[in-house]
Amino acid sequence: MLFLHPYLLLGLTGIAIPVIIHLFNRRNAREIKWGAMRFLMDSLMSRRRSLLLEEMLLLAARCLIVGCAVLAMARPFVPAGSSFPWWLVLPLGLLGIVFFGMSFALGRYRRWQVLAWLACLLCLGLSAAAILLEKHLSLGRFTGGAARDVALVIDGSSSMTLEVNGESNFNRALKEAARLVEEAPRGVAFSVIVAGAVPDPLVPAPVTDRKYVQAALEQAIPVHGVLRAPDALAAAAASLAQGNQATKQIILIGDGQSVGWQTDDLESWRFLDEAFAHLPAKPRIFVRVLVLPQGIRNLTLKDVAFSRPVVGTDRDVRIDVTLANTGREAVTPARVVLRAGDSEKVDRSVGQMEPDSERVVSFMHRFDTPGAQVVEAQVVAEDELASDDIMRRVIQVMRTLKVLVVDDGRAVRLFDRAGGYVALGLMPSTKELLRDESKRGTAPERARFLMEPELTAVSGLGLKRTLTGYAVAVLADVPSLPAEQAAQLADFVRRGGSLLLIHGARADPAFFNNWQSEGEPVAPLALGACVTVPATNAQAAVRIAPDTFRHPALALFRESGDLADAVIECYRQALESNEVAGVVGRLQNGNAFLAERALGRGRVAQLFVPLDRTAGNLVVRHSFLPLIQELTAYLAQPVVATLNIPPSRGAVVQLSSPALTHLSGNGLYAEYFRKNDPKKILLTRVDPTLDFSWGTHAPAEGLPADHFSVRWSGSFVPRQSGTYTFTVRADDRINLKIGAYKVSTASFDQQQELRGTFTAGERYPLTALLTEDQGEAGVWVDMEGPGFPRARLPGDWLIPVRGAVDSWAEAVDTQVRAPGGRTLYAKIRSGEEGLALRTDSPLMQGLYEVAVPTAAAGWLGHLASTNDTFPICVTENPAESRLDALTPDEQAIILRQADITVARSFDDLRSALRGKTFGRELWRIPAFVLFVLLLLEAFLTRWICIQRKTGEEVGGAEHAPQKS
Amino acid sequence: MRFLPPETLAKLGRCELSARGVVEGFISGRHKSPFKGFSVEFAEHRQYTPGDDLRNLDWRVLARKDRYFIKQYIDETNMRVTLLLDASGSMAYAGDEAAPRDGRPLSKLAYAQYIAAMLGYLLVNQQDAAGLVTFDTALRTYLPARARASQVRSILETLDQTEPGGETALAKIFHDIAERIPRRGMVVILSDLYDDPAALIQALHHFRYRRHEVLLFHIVAEEELTFPFESYTKFQDLECADNRLPIDPRTIRATYLTRMRAFLDEIEAACGRLKIDYVRMNTRVPYDQALAEYLSLRN
């Protein structure tokens, strides 16, 4: 308990006044010589006890009256977080005063008087000690001195936009903050942060300019999302770190919604301690809780999900919209609307929804154009929180998914090849499949199929310089691979591609069981022997057991389909060890059917039944086609861009997997353009090395044969240290720069040399600019180095990225339009990590449009096929729609995490700002006791008066003489 | 002669005048004497004058000598009145309300002394015998009842010398005096009676047993009756100097008054039973006025 006017407590000396008066009376007693002593003595004797009591009561009452009056005027109050309970300290003090008064009535009884004095000292001493200690403890919390840095954190979560008593809590919070700023004493610097999914610093560093802060407050808009209190407080701490004052305070005005305080995730609160460590002193946190609306009507969109991870333009996809009633009343939605592209579908099937119930509404949609597209779901209903009625998701609709199917190439006819059925399953049109690859161009049939299989033999695989562009590679009963191709495939998987191994009779266990990549086995399980079961033996027939399927790709076949009817005539045994237990499906005899493991960024799946005619009648089941499609789609998942991200302060968005990115792997990044129009890039691609003889033809389709230029950029990474000599010739001329060395040729027949010293493993930026005027065109660069005879510049010593692996220095700048119209700055880079976008601005929920920069146009074709922007969606958190207030347990948890004081009213906040302590005022209690005592004293005196009156009758008729 | 100052004498004279009927009745016998004697002992004859009480006419003489003579009895003309004056310390109490004399309020003792002086004067003047006893814890002076004219002077002198003394011990003294008085007569008690009521009543009983007529003048001060004290007071006992009582009088006033009332009632009731004349004399009322009132009532 503390006092607002402690100096008034000096008035407590006034409790001595009744005592002094009492003693004074005694000292100034009249001396009367009296005759009728016996009557006095008798009267006194009979009333001795009650006399003593009366006197004690009166004295105590009078002292207490003075004491209560003084206490009430000194304005006692309970500071927040008081250590000593006031209901002990205050009565103890009053008791001390009572003992004080009573002791002076006990004049005749020395022993009791001394006891009373001791009791008085004890009580007063204890309460004084408690008050002083409290003051000492409290002073640590509320330092004086007006100059301080204050971070105003306004809760901008979605719940704050609800209206309570005609005004939204957010506006209310803004008004209170503005008032605080206006009424703050001089020297207080304010920073303002709107908290939400991501803290939005309106005024990032504390400023003392009131007008500025107030103007910022006026323009504040809710951030939406969940409050995320620890993040907001950390952001406040960061803003305070930029202030100049030593005293720091954080004032958070919110609505006490439970979900924002993250009481179930205490790790984020730990992080807060680290943030505070950067400040000179731990800031005091004051939380003002506005009224949280209860009993609202609200429907929320909880989720929008696609039935398939890989979606193309070939067929419908089912979009499931989950509706939830997070309010307290039953609501009937009018309709659920799904918008995708230009189409809008309406569903009116949902009836009344009870509180806490969920409903799923499914829509079938077929995307027409590839690229990143926005799917928007909306529930139209009469509910109070509108911000959660719309949910958007961005999906990358694949134009095509290139799948490489490799088999041993022995057979000629499609249906005889091990990979024939696989390829057919992926693109079920023989005509299309057999059409020459180069002619596949823009045939209308192409649009029907998402997957674009390329069937080749092992030798054909060897001819491929790069596997960039394929999402999945399938080895269909391949016996083995040459080491180089094996390494290439493993690297492909590590970069994000996926591998499907199908084992049949031809597979060579020795190869597959020893196939390693960076110390890890590539195949999930080791191969055993091949088991052949002739078809005639019906009883020993081997079948697939769909009930053992535990895999997303096989989910479809657990309950339905005819996979179980297939009779397997040939399968491979799997040697299972306990470590790699990636079996996700089995045959009826217990042998593994499908196994999977992750490798780097990609996955490796293993089928132990060959998907060709040798396996039995599996390939003619109806379920075969869906099986192969599901498997491939599942495996292709890593290449799909993640365009839905949670709110964050800055993010790196993966726009494409390295497997599909042009600029991973080896080679040089090439840009082709007309000689006199360098701004307009006609073509970008990765060229393997600087070795071209185009003759009089154009380098590629769509490019002119003459008057063009090519710019190559990348890095040269030598494998040996030493001195290298590069011999350069170009038609018509070239400038070449490697590291710090450069050379140029002036005419088509000139040959120049570039000599330099290089260290192995280091990246030396390489740029070359070729200019072609007329006639023939070409470029030839040879390299000679220590231990390397002169030969064409090896392509695998070149990488198309100039900077370091993680560097964003080479990234292309772009702009992002945020919801609300703000423009953010971002970079896009393509490198060994794939295609990524990075921004350091805070990303709040909503739809963002990324502008495609011209320099990166070639990279983003899969996202922005027709427009020059593509969308990214920052997702909402449906938990925000739950308007549960903090429970007392959660409050206790929060109070333990940080030094938080709850301000009950605006005035408390204001006092906190002034460094004054605040708390519940108690002056009413001594005032009430005072009132009671005044009544008591009056009653006592009146009672005595009454007693006196009854005795007056005696004296009246005394001098009438009596007759005998 | 202090106790019979000229104005008192004058008043007495007046009193005589006003109560002349009484006094003359005493002396001349024309009115019925309030102090009727008990004795039937024939003393002498005296000439009859018209107006005498025919009760005492000696019929035998009339028959024999045809002359009218009144029989006079010894005691008829010779009442023996003993004045008992309480001179204990409690009588020294004066109070502010008491009737003043020479500018100062009279103490109870002084008041009683004046009354005693007046009574002695009256009695001797009407040829009755008056005696005086002063006492506190013990007998202080004893003047036997004489009818001589010099008795008044003796009484006055004794009164003059009487100073308030020690404690009160009425009952014992009364018993003593009751035995001492030779013949039955009248006993006039002037006291505040601050003693154990039971013992007191016992002593009064003794007087009646000895066939004395008792006249009890209860001298009290107004303050003793009303206890009007307001502020904190240290009461000091007049009888015992060590006895001090500092109290707030308001706190015990009610009880005191109840007890005082009970005491007065008890005495009065006892006097009523014993056929003792009880006269409460409040020192507030001037003594001559009080006495005159009483005498007129008695007549």
Side-chain angles (χ1 to χ4, degrees), chain A residues 364-381:
Chain A
M364 303 299 290
H365 180 78
R366 179 166 164 171
F367 289 94
D368 297 324
T369 47
Q373 308 213 4
V374 179
V375 168
E376 182 181 287
Q378 181 183 13
V379 59
V380 177

Side-chain angles (χ1 to χ4, degrees), chain A residues 26 29-34 37 39-40 42-44 46-47 51 947-948 951 954 958 962 964, chain B residues 93 222 225 227 229 232-234 236-238 250-251 253-257 268 276-278 280 282:
Chain A
R26 303 238 158 167
R30 273 170 47 171
E31 273 217 17
I32 291 186
K33 299 204 165 111
W34 181 254
M37 280 311 278
F39 294 97
L40 282 187
D42 287 347
S43 310
L44 188 65
S46 71
R47 290 255 301 147
L51 276 182
Q947 294 277 4
R948 212 184 295 171
V954 178
E958 94 291 356
Q962 305 296 310
S964 56
Chain B
Y93 181 73
E222 174 74 10
L225 285 178
F227 206 65
F229 307 104
Y232 197 80
T233 312
K234 239 186 251 179
Q236 176 154 16
D237 197 353
L238 283 162
R250 290 171 293 183
T251 55
R253 189 159 182 263
T255 324
Y256 171 89
L257 292 173
E268 229 176 298
I276 296 176
D277 249 356
Y278 175 83
R280 194 175 308 150
N282 192 333

Side-chain angles (χ1 to χ4, degrees), chain A residues 97-330:
Chain A
I97 297 177
V98 165
F99 278 127
F100 178 77
M102 275 173 32
S103 68
F104 289 95
L106 290 166
R108 287 171 172 270
Y109 309 91
R110 273 290 153 190
R111 228 179 20 169
W112 289 101
Q113 189 175 43
V114 169
L115 265 175
W117 276 338
L118 282 176
C120 156
L121 276 174
L122 188 70
C123 290
L124 285 179
L126 276 178
S127 51
I131 291 172
L132 283 174
L133 220 68
E134 185 84 66
K135 179 124 191 131
H136 177 73
L137 288 175
S138 282
L139 269 184
R141 304 167 172 259
F142 302 94
T143 46
R148 61 194 61 209
D149 288 333
V150 177
L152 289 172
V153 180
I154 318 278
D155 181 354
S157 61
S158 305
S159 59
M160 290 287 282
T161 61
L162 283 174
E163 287 210 358
V164 177
N165 293 338
E167 191 185 11
S168 77
N169 271 342
F170 187 71
N171 284 341
R172 212 172 259 122
L174 286 180
K175 281 196 190 141
E176 286 202 359
R179 259 182 83 189
L180 268 180
V181 171
E182 187 164 321
E183 296 177 7
R186 297 182 127 268
V188 179
F190 287 97
S191 65
V192 180
I193 293 177
V194 180
V198 171
D200 179 19
L202 284 186
V203 179
V207 296
T208 50
D209 184 352
R210 304 284 162 88
K211 294 263 184 316
Y212 178 75
V213 176
Q214 282 170 333
L217 280 172
E218 266 172 47
Q219 292 167 11
I221 48 169
V223 169
H224 285 288
V226 178
L227 167 65
R228 297 183 67 86
D231 292 359
L233 292 173
S239 78
L240 286 178
Q242 301 176 42
N244 300 328
Q245 321 282 5
T247 313
K248 313 273 185 194
Q249 278 180 346
I250 302 179
I251 295 181
L252 191 150
I253 309 178
D255 59 4
Q257 188 189 14
S258 156
V259 88
W261 287 87
Q262 294 177 272
T263 49
D264 50 354
D265 174 22
L266 296 181
E267 276 310 305
S268 44
W269 289 96
R270 298 278 163 286
F271 175 60
L272 192 65
D273 284 335
E274 292 165 27
F276 284 165
H278 293 298
L279 298 177
K282 243 180 148 192
R284 302 233 67 84
I285 305 178
F286 297 93
V287 175
R288 164 112 168 89
V289 176
L290 301 172
V291 174
L292 185 66
Q294 300 293 320
I296 63 159
R297 292 165 56 90
N298 191 29
L299 281 186
T300 309
L301 283 177
K302 207 164 162 191
D303 193 20
V304 172
F306 296 90
S307 61
R308 288 200 308 278
V310 174
V311 175
T313 54
D314 58 329
R315 53 195 169 112
D316 289 352
V317 64
R318 195 182 77 233
I319 303 176
D320 293 328
V321 177
T322 311
L323 234 64
N325 185 344
T326 54
R328 306 226 189 200
E329 294 176 31

Side-chain angles (χ1 to χ4, degrees), chain A residues 673 709-712 733-737 767-771:
Chain A
F673 50 94
S709 290
V710 187
R711 186 187 308 125
W712 287 282
R733 48 182 187 277
I734 191 168
N735 297 329
L736 175 66
K737 183 171 177 218
T767 43
L769 182 65
L770 168 77
T771 314

Side-chain angles (χ1 to χ4, degrees), chain A residues 822-844:
Chain A
R822 276 198 263 182
T823 306
L824 309 176
Y825 293 96
K827 289 180 193 279
I828 300 183
R829 78 150 182 215
S830 176
E832 281 144 65
E833 303 291 310
L835 190 66
L837 175 139
R838 175 178 147 178
T839 176
D840 295 325
S841 315
L843 296 174
M844 295 157 225

Side-chain angles (χ1 to χ4, degrees), chain B residues 205-223:
Chain B
H205 220 101
H206 197 168
F207 277 122
R208 293 300 286 137
Y209 170 71
R210 298 273 296 157
R211 314 291 289 277
H212 296 300
E213 185 178 346
V214 181
L215 193 54
L216 187 52
F217 285 105
H218 193 177
I219 318 282
V220 283
E222 174 74 10
E223 284 86 354

Side-chain angles (χ1 to χ4, degrees), chain A residues 600-666:
Chain A
R601 278 206 179 82
R603 298 179 207 174
V604 179
Q606 203 173 19
L607 262 182
F608 293 89
V609 175
L611 295 180
D612 58 17
R613 276 209 268 219
T614 63
N617 58 4
L618 174 59
V619 292
V620 294
R621 297 291 105 197
H622 288 295
S623 303
F624 172 72
L625 203 124
L627 174 68
I628 198 75
Q629 294 244 345
E630 288 288 318
L631 267 179
T632 314
Y634 171 79
L635 287 173
Q637 240 184 314
V639 307
V640 179
T642 41
L643 297 170
N644 299 300
I645 53 174
S648 55
R649 315 182 76 188
V652 174
V653 183
Q654 196 73 23
L655 298 177
S656 183
S657 152
L660 296 182
T661 315
H662 297 290
L663 292 191
S664 54
N666 297 327

